[in-house]
Amino acid sequence: MAEFQEISKLSALHPKPAGLVLQYGTSGFRTNAKQLDHIMFRMGLLATVRSKKTKATIGVMVTASHNPEEDNGVKLVDPMGEMVTQDWEEHATQLANADQEDLLTALKNIIEKEAINMSQEANVFVGKDTRSSSASLSQAVLDGVSALGGHSKDYGLVTTPQLHYMVCCQNTQGKYGEATVEGYYTKFCQAFIQLTKNTSNRTDDQKHLCLDGANGIGALKVREMESHLKKELQISLNNDGSKGRLNHQCGADYVKVQQKPPTGVKINPGERCCSFDGDADRIVYYYTDSEGTFHLLDGDKMATLISTFLKELLTQAGLNLKIAVVQTAYANGSSTHYLENTMKVLVRCTKTGVKHLHHVAQEFDVGVYFEANGHGTVLFSKAAEEKIQQLAEDTNVNDERKKAALLLRNTINVINQTVGDAISDMLLIEAILAIKGMTIQQWDTIYTDLPNRQLKVKVDDRRVIDTTDAERRAVTPAGLQEAIDNLVKKYRQARSFVRPSGTEDVVRVYAEADTQESADALAHEVSLAVYRLAGGVGDEPKPLH
Ligand code: 16G
Ligand code: MG
């Protein structure tokens, strides 16, 4: 076939370095940008084949999210805007690692296995973040698409969730919104303005938000969006990329892991602040109090605020819909306790990685999912959306139910249901705080986080650690879980688990306990157990204090 000749010719322009093997990580390939040109070309091929298979538009996003500027990566987006189905991750790995001369065979294998009709049209949307390597890498994706005769649309600089949104809009023939950045701003900002319009006497302070854009794409896009907010939200934008380096001592990941404010931002006591990550699919909130103490409001706090708000509205609307919160093992024990025992909402725990949370959330009428690191969104089932819509249009219901239904409808519209979205989450949180007349301090006191610590341990081969029970227990190596259980018993309100990272060559250790000293000590002791029982390399982990 003519296409295949073209591929041979073009793939030679994107050669694979001999011997290089890359694994598909939690959400795609990610490594130093210099090693990724052939991966991008090949993911262009794969997206085209996937588009033929699904008879729908597929997305390819070039980004390495919260990782350093020198890295890059690629995420594939399926027709409804969700992450590519896990069945195809194996195809991605095969294609990525095929030697140059075996590329056509690897591609043909996928085509055969998936029974692809090669005469089917293909359509691929491509986006990129602000990394200096992203321009040529996204061009490599586009080359891959055209090598297989696919159509492509290059959205240029967009956030990851914006690209997910575009794909969903396109494949639902505009029902989800218009597949342009302008359409994105219009949809989400209008919903925000509708939600907040009856919040009487919102002061200027309440309308003001301090934002750390991680020197990335989120900053550019917030600036573009600003006029659509009609001063109902006034954002002072820091780390906008004009001087600082991407994700360097700033951004959601830095703030969450370091548990301190980003550099480059002057924070006034009590002021509401938030940080995006490098591709704007994560957000965390924080403030410093009058004594200068830093308070972090992470994904768990957002899930709690959002689910409380939604549950109250569902009750007021008299709608009997099943709501659940989906978390991972990293969720602070206090948040789980509060949700289950005070809020009486169903909580489910699943493996780390958006794709896992997303799927569990789809099982409910209203599924609120958040990772503690700030990635999350809310999914509404079709039936739930319809019931809310009907009630909002019903002329025979009392004012209270009607008002709740209208708020629910606008809440659905302010949420990007395709994937966690820092911009959309920010608008949702800002709207809820406005509606409830709540300050960030009041939000923070809903429950108190248990002190916690995360550490990394280097081991020879992290695959020796196998986990179960949503990563909360280690099955191998022998004796590790028993050792952890014995250490945990020494502390109060303690919990700890270890898991191999899906994105870095390390084992991650998490511990929480009643005091910071205890959490730190426990995390250190568990690190030592990992080091000794799972083949630690380098120096033994040292105590934190
Ligand atoms: C990826 C995941 C994120 C997860 C993180 C865990 C997506 C879009 N991103 O960044 O959800 O928290 O990996 O990393 O799925 P780790 O396995 O290195 O701890
Ligand atoms: Mg990200």
Side-chain angles (χ1 to χ4, degrees), residues 63-66 75 160 277-282 375:
T63 180
S65 183
H66 57 283
K75 298 181 179 177
T160 296
D277 78 335
D279 65 339
D281 65 354
R282 291 191 198 176
H375 185 115

Side-chain angles (χ1 to χ4, degrees), residues 50-109:
R50 177 98 189 121
S51 172
K52 289 178 190 283
K53 168 84 184 188
T54 56
K55 301 187 174 59
T57 296
I58 295 295
V60 182
M61 180 71 195
V62 177
T63 180
S65 183
H66 57 283
N67 299 291
E69 153 80 34
E70 342 38 289
D71 282 6
N72 218 322
V74 58
K75 298 181 179 177
L76 296 174
V77 182
D78 249 5
M80 285 303 114
E82 70 280 37
M83 302 187 66
V84 72
T85 173
Q86 285 179 60
D87 313 345
W88 276 58
E89 291 182 0
E90 183 53 33
H91 294 335
T93 310
Q94 294 291 335
L95 206 59
N97 292 318
D99 280 335
Q100 197 64 24
E101 60 278 13
D102 301 332
L103 178 60
L104 276 188
T105 315
L107 183 64
K108 283 178 186 165
N109 280 343

